[in-house]
């Protein structure tokens, strides 16, 4: 959670660039999606630790409340959902790829939006679920389904495994409803999901992707 | 996440996924341009495909970023950032339509 004085209201789906600079002047930066709905100067980021990573362990383990970092943003005008969009929305998130999708869900909730949302959220195992209580509580017009790739809770109906066309047919929208599809996660996950959606007849212009790179959970 | 990392072709797949979307150009380009360029529609000088810069494949190739056409892999844009200067090479883009007005 960051307080950013003078933060302009962001759009759901946008990200920030976080820059860290060491005392010797070495500096490096990474992108992180905004998880929150617009809320004054407060900006919530959700960062998943990559064990041998350069930046994420620092942000998670070394930084303390009250520390300052350099943030640039909000960034992006394409991978965004605007409350005036009325069409059905399919959100497909893998791992930490849920983060910008959560901002869309929260923004829709905050403005009392009526666009029907479906969320397919792929995680390795139940412990990896982010925002679990909030998603469990749910919202009218939001359907959430978990796709486990390694271990599922005992009563879960779907066999474990990576995202399939069947998942997208069952949990998504038919292409002729012309939904807007937002896909986010590690590059391999996004690659697979976008290919499947295209094969199901979704217009490539309505498949918006955000690849987090090989990492990103 | 996913199974990719543990598969036998781990290294190959990691190489194959060593890119991000053009969305990630938004930050670096915001240092140079006042409007968001990731939603700007460009035409690839190689194959003629059109699409927003957000759809390019961005490879982090120190000291800069290289963005390739998702259809033909040709380099569309190169951005190198020095301490006082940014070099932007748009040789691979035949045109760029930039939406004006409206935020982000
Ligand atoms: C637009 C955008 C938005 C993003 N938003 C978020 C977000 O909201 N939350 C978030 O957590 N991340 C997000 N990311 C990813 C984030 O920017 C970093 O890539 C991530 O935090 C890793 O950075 P790092 O410095 O810790 O690791 P690095 O130092 O960059 O990576 C270290 C090494 O570990 C490897 N590696 C990476 N992941 C794994 C893994 N899971 N298992 C084994 N090896 C691995 C890498 O290939 C690399 O060789 C986003 C990326 C982009 C482009
Ligand atoms: Zn091309």
């Amino acid at each position: 959670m960051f307080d950013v004085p003078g933060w302009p209201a962001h759009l759901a789906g946008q990200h920030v660039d976080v820059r860290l600079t060491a005392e010797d002047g070495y500096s490096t930066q990474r992108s992180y999606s905004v998880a929150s709905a617009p809320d004054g100067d407060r900006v919530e980021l959700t960062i998943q630790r990559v064990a041998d990573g350069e930046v994420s362990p620092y942000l998670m383990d070394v930084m303390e409340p009250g520390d300052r970092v350099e943030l640039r943003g909000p960034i992006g005008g394409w991978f965004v959902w605007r409350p005036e969009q009325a069409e059905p929305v399919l959100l497909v998130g893998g791992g930490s790829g849920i983060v910008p999708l959560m901002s869309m869900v929260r923004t829709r909730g905050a403005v009392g939006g009526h666009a029907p949302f479906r969320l397919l959220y792929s995680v390795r195992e139940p412990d990896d679920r982010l925002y679990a209580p909030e998603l469990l509580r749910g919202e009218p017009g939001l359907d959430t389904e978990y796709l486990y790739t390694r271990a599922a809770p005992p009563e879960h109906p779907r066999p474990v495994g990576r995202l399939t066309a069947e998942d997208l047919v069952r949990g998504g929208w038919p292409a002729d409803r012309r939904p807007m599809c937002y896909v986010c996660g590690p590059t391999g996950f996004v690659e697979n999901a976008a290919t499947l959606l295209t094969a199901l007849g979704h217009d490539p212009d309505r498949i918006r992707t955000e690849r987090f790179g090989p990492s990103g959970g | 996440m996913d199974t990719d990392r543990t598969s036998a072709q781990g290294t190959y797949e990691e190489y194959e996924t060593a890119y991000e979307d053009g969305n990630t150009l938004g930050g670096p380009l915001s240092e140079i341009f006042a409007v968001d360029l990731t939603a700007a529609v460009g035409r690839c000088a190689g194959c003629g495909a059109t699409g927003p810069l957000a759809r390019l494949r961005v490879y982090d190739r120190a000291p800069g970023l290289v963005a390739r056409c998702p259809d033909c892999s040709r380099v569309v844009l190169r951005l190198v950032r020095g301490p006082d200067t940014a070099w932007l090479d748009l040789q691979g883009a035949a045109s760029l339509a930039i939406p004006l007005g409206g935020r982000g």
Side-chain angles (χ1 to χ4, degrees), chain A residues 9 11 15 17 72 75-79 82 94-95 122 149-150 162 186-189 191 204-205 209-211 213-215 217, chain B residues 1-6 13-14 16-21 23-28 30-31 36 38-39 52 54-55 57 103-104:
Chain A
L11 300 169
H15 66 273
D17 286 347
R72 176 171 60 197
I75 299 165
W78 189 72
F79 188 81
R82 294 178 165 85
S122 167
T149 59
R150 288 220 189 126
R162 65 189 275 180
T187 297
F189 174 85
E191 199 66 61
D205 283 340
T209 54
E210 177 102 284
R211 292 167 169 89
S215 59
Chain B
M1 60 143 299
D2 234 76
T3 49
D4 296 8
R5 263 176 201 292
T6 50
E13 287 188 346
E14 258 169 52
E16 283 288 283
T17 58
Y19 67 91
E20 294 167 357
D21 279 294
N23 303 332
T24 186
L25 292 169
S30 73
E31 278 188 316
D36 171 62
T38 60
R55 289 253 301 265
R57 298 185 165 191
R103 172 177 50 105

Side-chain angles (χ1 to χ4, degrees), chain A residues 43-178:
Chain A
V43 180
E44 180 188 327
L45 307 181
T46 305
I47 296 157
Q48 188 151 311
R49 185 185 291 98
V50 171
D52 57 347
E54 188 182 347
V55 172
S56 60
Y58 179 87
L59 294 173
M60 299 298 289
D61 306 332
V62 183
M63 250 184 74
E64 307 211 353
D67 285 359
R68 288 157 170 269
V69 287
E70 209 180 313
L71 281 190
R72 176 171 60 197
I75 299 165
W78 189 72
F79 188 81
V80 294
W81 180 78
R82 294 178 165 85
E84 57 269 27
Q85 288 176 225
E87 72 276 4
V89 168
L90 172 63
L91 307 173
V92 186
S96 54
I98 185 70
V99 179
L101 310 181
M102 199 61 199
S103 176
M104 297 179 188
V105 166
R106 288 167 165 175
T107 299
R108 174 186 177 278
V111 301
H114 294 297
F117 270 37
R118 288 184 179 167
L119 168 63
L120 293 177
Y121 180 14
S122 167
V123 289
R124 258 183 308 236
E125 55 200 24
D127 277 354
D128 289 347
R129 291 175 302 186
L130 296 169
Y131 320 113
E134 193 174 342
L135 286 173
L136 185 68
R137 222 178 312 125
E139 271 175 40
L142 166 69
D143 290 325
T144 301
E145 198 182 319
Y146 289 96
L147 313 170
Y148 297 95
T149 59
R150 288 220 189 126
E155 74 287 7
H156 195 71
R158 178 187 178 274
V160 297
R162 65 189 275 180
L163 178 81
T164 63
E166 201 193 318
D167 293 322
L168 292 167
V169 168
R170 197 163 26 82
W173 302 97
D176 58 16
R177 299 253 343 239
R178 306 209 17 93

